[in-house]
Amino acid sequence: MALPSSREQRSALRVPMNCKVKIRTLDFGPPYYGECIDLSVTGMTIRTSFVPRPDEEFEIFVMPPMSGVGPRDPLSARVRVVRCHEVERGKLYELGLFIVQILA
């Protein structure tokens, strides 16, 4: 019997995205930028040059798509790092993030 993949074990449906993100660390250092790959009610996956510490929390701002209808304000949230995988050696990392709190 084959075990389900980690994607199949998620309790929340992930919606594919292609939106720019801004990362702001809690020490208010310089901002980092990246791209949101997918989003759910409990978390998201982003790709960025930022390398976080395990379990680090920070604020993230997901910019809405440029086309289409809907809100023009970014989704802002406090997130916690669940995983970090190197995609392109020393340049690009994929972060799995848990949404701790949606910010106003």
Side-chain angles (χ1 to χ4, degrees):
M1 176 194 300
L3 295 175
S5 73
S6 61
R7 286 197 177 270
E8 293 169 345
Q9 292 175 356
R10 292 181 179 145
S11 60
L13 176 66
R14 296 259 171 165
V15 177
M17 303 288 286
N18 186 19
C19 297
K20 301 291 182 196
V21 297
K22 178 180 176 182
I23 298 166
R24 185 170 66 190
T25 58
L26 297 183
D27 64 2
F28 297 104
Y32 296 90
Y33 299 90
E35 182 178 353
C36 181
I37 304 301
D38 63 44
L39 178 67
S40 78
V41 295
T42 59
M44 67 182 74
T45 304
I46 67 166
R47 287 193 174 173
T48 180
S49 62
F50 174 62
V51 181
R53 295 182 312 274
D55 295 319
E56 182 175 357
E57 290 190 10
F58 52 85
E59 292 179 0
I60 193 159
F61 303 89
V62 180
M63 306 310 288
M66 295 302 288
S67 62
V69 297
R72 303 308 324 152
D73 295 328
L75 164 69
S76 57
R78 184 173 181 141
V79 296
R80 182 174 55 245
V81 176
V82 176
R83 65 179 171 80
C84 177
H85 299 288
E86 188 175 57
V87 175
E88 187 178 337
R89 188 176 181 105
K91 294 182 181 180
L92 188 64
Y93 300 86
E94 187 172 279
L95 310 182
L97 305 173
F98 173 75
I99 298 173
V100 175
Q101 178 184 13
I102 300 295
L103 304 172

